Amino acid sequence: MLRTAVRNLFAHKARLMMTVLAVLLGVAFVSGTLVFSDTVGDALKNASAKNLDDVAVSVTAEQEPPKADGRRATALTDETADAVRAVPGVRAVRTDVTGDAVLAAKDGKPVGDAWQNRAANYQPGPDGKDSRYPLVAGRGPAAAGEVALAEATARKAGYRIGDTVRFATDGPVLTKKLVGLVSTDDPKVTAGGSLTLLDTATAQRLYLHPGQYDELVVSAKPGTDEAALTREIRAAVPEKAAQVTSGTALAEEQSRLLTDQNTALTSTLLTFAGIALFVGVFIIANTFTMLISQRRREIALLRAVGASRRQVVRSVLVEATLLGVVASAVGMGLGIGLALGIRSVLNANDAGLPDGPLVISPLTYLVSLATGTVVTVLAAWLPSRRAAKIAPVEALSTLDTQPAPRSLVVRNVFGAVVAGLGVAVMCWVSTLESSDDLPLALAGSALTMTGVIVLAPLLSRPLVRLTGAVTGRLFGTVGKLARENALRNPRRTAATGSALMIGLTLITGMAVVGNSAESAIDRMTATQLTAEYQISTSTFSGLDPKLSAKAAQVPGVTAVAPMRHSSFLLGDEGVVLNGTDPRTIAQVTALKVVQGSVGAVRGESIALSRTAADKAGLSAGQRVTVDLPDEKKHRLTVAAVYEDNDIAGDAFSDLPLVALGVDEAPKDDALLVKTAHGASDATAAKLRAAFGDNPLVKVQNHEELRQETAGPIGMMVNMVYGLLGMAVVIAVVGVINTLAMSVFERTREIGMLRAIGLARAGIKQMVRLESVVISLFGAILGIGVGLFLAWAGGSLLASSWRLYETLLPWGRLSLFVAIALAVGLLAAIWPARRAAKLNMLEAIGAH
């Protein structure tokens, strides 16, 4: 039986290769993702370990919020550093000051990711060099007017030694002379951030206070016990004012954080791999079903000469195992190339992943091999059981046997129950408005898709008849024959169309949600935001309230409304409270007041959106007791009620009310600026100039706001487009397999059609139309399910975008249908040529 399985494996090489392709694509994604994750993780850990080289103990100050002047206060002082130096076993103590600094490139644009722009103090030793930041060129900063940059940072910003560098910390723009370039292994910098080095006194003046530090980095003398040294240093520093961590624990913590950072991307890529393998299951199961149907006589003969049902099952599963091993091995090799491609693509988009050797762990080999093999064997299990049920006499007397009606009835009932449950869950989801209910939506989507896949044979009949009616009308008898051929085996048609259906369901759902969200953002900026500009900071550190007066003095500016965000409890509901200037808020947003007057919003009074007022049962003139951030109860008057507005939010008040309970000086989150003559490059430049061309400050018009808000949505949609490409490739393989088997089963029929006058061109056209009908069935089912899921799940975005409503991207949907047609035509090329080349007399005499 083993020899029989091996012989059968190589008896159908073309079909074997197509099935291998369906398996190896999924395995390639699995292995590629694992290799990519291991490679990047190892590179980041190596960079982190090198950055922590010679660190025996780290003493970090307890984090405190910045004071009004933007500086922090810490308990790590020169006296603390001297006390640590006096601990036995300590070789040296490095005193670090760190902070954030956003660097402006020569063209004025910010450099690097706002959250990874690091500043630190340069600490020269007796030789005038800092061992942590080796010099590449020039020298280290030694005075208040000097700065050094990481070599990669200077290259990205376009600076050279001797240039004047512009950057900002949490205030006005600073200018200093670039005197040196350094190299660094800091993971934040190597991952796309920037590094700015200052002399210690200047760094303390900007971020802390003279004589204070953020961290003491301790190196130990040879032979010193790290754990004991950590305990002694912990006893030497102020209790509860600093955290003492051993170098080993610090390395483990950084390693854990880096691993967590990779988890999200790895999970996303593994989801792609799982979908590829799931789609491949349909192709594998279909292939083995067709192969078994093709070998019915052979299996019957094996049963007649004594082979048991168990041996027949084993034979098919051995064949599947060999196929899975071969496909997994090839997929593993393809995955290594895919891992390199992923890193190159991400780095090309400024991901800043560190360089490092390719890491291929034994676990990756085992997981990839096991995944492909197990998936293949599981997909072949049901066909193997069908093979074992072939009775010798029955198989010798017929070529194909239709599935028992009972099995389809049971399948349809099960599918209807699962699909009904999924539809019910999604209808419930359509009444919800919080993104917290996303897990419920995902569960409902999975149930709906599973139910539709199970019901696919039942659904194939009306949908194939619908598409077949078009082909019959356009192509006459040949079109009708194609329709009837697609209807002969609904199971096979369903399994073939499901591969394309899964991909199109996902991409349709994402395309509809993305288009609807982008349209909601467009409508918000077009209809609600009447201001031409929003001014904010890239680090969300807030704007000095005095800057609103500067913006108001810019020529052409007619109104400026500051926005500060707070919150309070209104009954049991949390309400976002925006502090603003009631005199100008109506000029920067299309505010429609339905009760009361915005002019009355002052002191301890607020304006509520209609939704917030209705939930609380309030109207203009009523008073309500609320808890504000100062932890006191306030009796507020509802001065106005307005139609829901994304700019004004749930509620707004005068600025002083929002400032209650804020310890430090309050800051504005954003400024909304209205101009007399609309948005223009000249006005934007004047606004930036009013803020000192500070790289921290963002001056955004409507289009820039739309791009920033919709950017993540577009990125997600583009990622899911990869699924469509993958599903298309696998769908082509599945359709080719199905058509090849269809041609084999209808050999005699094709011969008869040729004998009664159907030309070779007609045979080709019949096979092509059958392929198109099957592909359109998958497309209609996939697009239909995708539209339903997008409509039901889209309501969860209502909490983020009040103007969200489901809008169909007709252009993209038309493109998806065109892709389905292309899949059908492409997949039919080889089977159609094969059918047309059949010898008429030999085909008529075939059994």
Side-chain angles (χ1 to χ4, degrees), residues 37 66 73 77 111 122 161 170 452 506 623 717 751:
S37 178
T77 62
V111 176
Y122 188 83
I161 291 179
D170 190 26
V452 170
L506 295 171
R623 295 174 65 83
V717 172

Side-chain angles (χ1 to χ4, degrees), residues 750-784:
I750 292 171
M752 293 296 294
L753 290 172
R754 292 277 289 115
I756 61 176
L758 187 60
R760 294 182 187 273
I763 297 294
K764 285 184 179 181
Q765 190 177 61
M766 179 183 69
V767 176
R768 282 197 295 266
L769 290 175
E770 180 182 353
S771 178
V772 167
V773 166
I774 294 174
S775 297
L776 285 178
F777 158 68
I780 293 172
L781 203 58
I783 292 174

Side-chain angles (χ1 to χ4, degrees), residues 454-719:
V454 175
L455 283 174
L458 178 65
L459 297 174
S460 68
R461 293 187 179 276
L463 292 179
V464 169
R465 289 189 185 280
L466 176 64
T467 56
V470 177
T471 60
R473 183 175 295 273
L474 294 177
F475 300 97
T477 302
V478 173
K480 293 178 182 178
L481 287 172
R483 179 192 62 194
E484 295 305 317
N485 291 336
L487 287 170
R488 286 191 183 190
N489 194 326
R491 287 173 180 261
R492 188 184 303 158
T493 298
T496 306
S498 293
L500 187 60
M501 184 270 285
I502 294 170
L504 281 176
T505 296
L506 295 171
I507 189 61
T508 298
M510 283 302 302
V512 172
V513 170
N515 180 70
S516 302
E518 289 175 355
S519 298
I521 296 168
D522 289 341
R523 288 198 302 279
M524 182 196 72
T525 55
T527 63
Q528 292 189 352
L529 184 63
T530 56
E532 277 73 30
Y533 296 100
Q534 174 180 289
I535 302 175
S536 59
T537 61
S538 58
T539 57
F540 302 99
S541 54
L543 296 164
D544 189 323
K546 297 177 183 178
L547 296 176
S548 61
K550 284 189 175 183
Q553 294 171 2
V554 172
V557 171
T558 58
V560 176
M563 302 295 291
R564 298 180 196 168
H565 302 303
S566 183
S567 62
F568 66 91
L569 280 176
L570 187 60
D572 295 329
E573 293 284 335
V575 175
V576 176
L577 176 64
N578 288 321
T580 187
D581 185 347
R583 296 169 300 176
T584 58
I585 183 66
Q587 299 178 56
V588 298
T589 181
L591 197 66
K592 185 177 180 181
V593 179
V594 294
Q595 295 178 18
S597 169
V598 172
V601 178
R602 57 182 177 273
E604 295 212 341
S605 63
I606 58 174
L608 292 176
S609 69
R610 183 190 286 273
T611 297
D614 289 346
K615 285 183 178 179
L618 296 171
S619 59
Q622 291 185 308
R623 295 174 65 83
V624 61
T625 301
V626 301
D627 293 315
L628 290 177
D630 62 353
E631 299 181 353
K632 296 180 181 178
K633 292 189 179 298
H634 291 259
R635 187 80 171 164
L636 303 181
T637 300
V638 179
V641 176
Y642 54 90
E643 293 287 357
D644 290 357
N645 183 293
D646 286 305
I647 308 301
D650 297 326
F652 68 83
S653 69
D654 205 350
L655 290 168
L657 193 64
V658 177
L660 292 175
V662 180
D663 295 331
E664 64 273 7
K667 290 188 175 183
D668 296 328
D669 296 308
L671 300 178
L672 301 179
V673 179
K674 177 70 176 174
T675 64
H677 306 293
S680 67
D681 292 341
T683 303
K686 291 176 183 178
L687 287 168
R688 293 190 185 95
F691 288 82
D693 285 323
N694 194 318
L696 282 173
V697 177
K698 298 189 296 184
V699 179
Q700 298 171 291
N701 58 27
H702 285 200
E703 179 59 24
E704 290 165 337
L705 282 171
R706 191 197 71 80
Q707 290 178 359
E708 182 178 74
T709 307
I713 299 173
M715 185 182 299
M716 288 181 62
V717 172
N718 289 334
M719 288 180 65

Side-chain angles (χ1 to χ4, degrees), residues 59 99 250 288 313 445 558 575 760 825 845:
V59 183
L250 191 63
F288 276 95
V313 171
S445 300
T558 58
V575 175
R760 294 182 187 273
L825 294 174

